C-alpha cells in the first residue's frame, strides 16, 4: 500500500536568485507498505508549470543536505525536484557501519529495493508541481538505485547515474528498460571501474536500450560530492552540464 500521509511542510528555504523567483524547499512524509519515509521537494512556485520533474535518490548515507542542495539547484533551473528516501524516516544512518548496513540490506533484497523506489515515485506523483514527465537520478548508491529502477521497467522518461555502482545483479538485465539511460562516470573510479562500465554498456546494447555515457578522465568515486577527497571540479561541472542537456532532451 502506498499513500501520502502528511505534507509536513516547513518554511521555504532562501536561495540566491532574481527577486521575481519564489523558490521553496519543503519536507514531506509518505508511506510505503507501512513504513514512513521523509522526502524533500523544491520548486519555483512563480512558474505556471515547471520544466518537468527530477527524482533524486540519495547516497548510502541517506537523504542529507547534499541531495536537498541539488534539488534546490534544479528548482532554480525551473524543474520540480523531489529527493526521495528509501531507508525510512526513523532509519537514517549516522556512521560508516550504518551506511553499509542500510545500503547492504537493500542490495540483498532487490524486491524491497524496487518496492521502495516505485512507492516513492507514486508518492512524489501526488505532490503539487509534479507532472507526468519524470527523470530518476542519483549519486553513488543513488546511481545504482537509478539503474535498479531502469532494470525493473519503472515508467519514467529517463535514468541518470552519477558515479553509481554499475554492476548488474545475477538474474537481472535491461530487457524491461524503456527509457534512455545516461551514465556519468570517472575513469579512475575504484568502486566501478572501466571494465564494469564496458560491461553495462554492452548489456544495454544487447537489450536495445537508448543510452549515453560521459567519462571524466582521472576522476575518482564521488567526484561530485563537495568536500570529499574525490571531489573534482571539472568532472562535477561537466557532468552537471551533461545532465542539464539530458533533461532538456527528455523532458
Amino acid at each position: 500500500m502506498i499513500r501520502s500521509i502528511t505534507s509536513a511542510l516547513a518554511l521555504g528555504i532562501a536561495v540566491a536568485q532574481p527577486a521575481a523567483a519564489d523558490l521553496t524547499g519543503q519536507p514531506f512524509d509518505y508511506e510505503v507498505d507501512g513504513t514512513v519515509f521523509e522526502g524533500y521537494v523544491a520548486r519555483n512556485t512563480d512558474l505556471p508549470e515547471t520544466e518537468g520533474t527530477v527524482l533524486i535518490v540519495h547516497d548510502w548515507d541517506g537523504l542529507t543536505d547534499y541531495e536537498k542542495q541539488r534539488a534546490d539547484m534544479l528548482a532554480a533551473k525551473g524543474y520540480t525536484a523531489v529527493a526521495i528516501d528509501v531507508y525510512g524516516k526513523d532509519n537514517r544512518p549516522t556512521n560508516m557501519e550504518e551506511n553499509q548496513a542500510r545500503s547492504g540490506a537493500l542490495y540483498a533484497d532487490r524486491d524491497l529495493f524496487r518496492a521502495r523506489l516505485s512507492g516513492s515515485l507514486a508518492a512524489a506523483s501526488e505532490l503539487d508541481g509534479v507532472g507526468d514527465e519524470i527523470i530518476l537520478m542519483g549519486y553513488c548508491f543513488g546511481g545504482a538505485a537509478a539503474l535498479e529502477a531502469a532494470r525493473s521497467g519503472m515508467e519514467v522518461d529517463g535514468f541518470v547515474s552519477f558515479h553509481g555502482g554499475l554492476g548488474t545483479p545475477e538474474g537481472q538485465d535491461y530487457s524491461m528498460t524503456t527509457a534512455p539511460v545516461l551514465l556519468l562516470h570517472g575513469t579512475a573510479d575504484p568502486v566501478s571501474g572501466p571494465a564494469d562500465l564496458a560491461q553495462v554498456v554492452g548489456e544495454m546494447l544487447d537489450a536495445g536500450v537508448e543510452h549515453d555515457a560521459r567519462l571524466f578522465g582521472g576522476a575518482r568515486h564521488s567526484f561530485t560530492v563537495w568536500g570529499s577527497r574525490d571531489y573534482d571540479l571539472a568532472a562535477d561541472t561537466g557532468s552537471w552540464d551533461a545532465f542539464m542537456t539530458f533533461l532538456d532532451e527528455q523532458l
Side-chain angles (χ1 to χ4, degrees):
M1 177 182 67
I2 303 161
R3 61 187 179 89
S4 179
I5 60 175
T6 177
S7 337
L9 300 184
L11 293 175
I13 61 169
V15 180
Q17 289 297 316
D22 184 10
L23 302 183
T24 62
Q26 303 165 324
F28 70 100
D29 287 359
Y30 61 99
E31 185 176 308
V32 179
D33 294 332
T35 299
V36 177
F37 300 85
E38 182 180 85
Y40 177 84
V41 57
R43 67 189 182 103
N44 182 346
T45 57
D46 273 359
L47 298 178
E49 60 181 34
T50 64
E51 298 293 325
T53 299
V54 180
L55 261 62
I56 303 171
V57 188
H58 56 75
D59 198 353
W60 72 337
D61 56 349
L63 178 54
T64 68
D65 286 343
Y66 178 81
E67 289 81 18
K68 293 176 184 179
Q69 289 177 52
R70 291 293 184 179
D72 295 340
M73 291 168 63
L74 287 164
K77 293 289 188 180
Y79 298 96
T80 297
V82 184
I84 64 173
D85 172 21
V86 295
Y87 287 167
K89 184 174 182 177
D90 298 322
N91 196 37
R92 299 290 173 87
T94 61
N95 54 51
M96 186 73 72
E97 290 73 21
E98 290 181 356
N99 292 349
Q100 293 172 333
R102 302 293 189 273
S103 58
L106 292 179
Y107 283 143
D109 189 342
R110 297 285 172 161
D111 289 338
L112 178 62
F113 200 0
R114 293 182 175 195
R116 291 187 173 180
L117 289 168
S118 62
S120 295
L121 171 63
S125 297
E126 298 178 3
L127 297 172
D128 291 341
V130 175
D132 295 332
E133 296 183 319
I134 298 174
I135 298 292
L136 177 69
M137 60 86 83
Y139 296 88
C140 299
F141 168 78
L147 297 182
E148 184 72 31
R151 292 189 297 268
S152 76
M154 182 178 285
E155 295 184 2
V156 295
D157 296 281
F159 305 92
V160 183
S161 167
F162 284 82
H163 46 79
L166 302 178
T168 301
E170 184 176 354
Q172 289 192 17
D173 58 37
Y174 287 88
S175 61
M176 296 175 63
T177 305
T178 59
V181 177
L182 174 63
L183 304 172
L184 302 166
H185 215 74
T187 62
D189 191 325
V191 177
S192 285
D196 294 322
L197 180 63
Q199 177 68 29
V200 72
V201 167
E203 292 172 5
M204 291 182 191
L205 280 170
D206 290 343
V209 174
E210 182 180 346
H211 65 279
D212 194 5
R214 303 296 173 88
L215 304 182
F216 301 93
R220 293 177 56 81
H221 195 61
S222 303
F223 61 78
T224 67
V225 180
W226 311 300
S228 76
R229 65 179 182 179
D230 289 346
Y231 182 73
D232 184 315
L233 177 60
D236 180 18
T237 56
S239 61
W240 187 259
D241 288 345
F243 179 44
M244 290 296 103
T245 299
F246 184 80
L247 293 182
D248 185 57
E249 293 172 347
Q250 303 303 325
L251 296 178

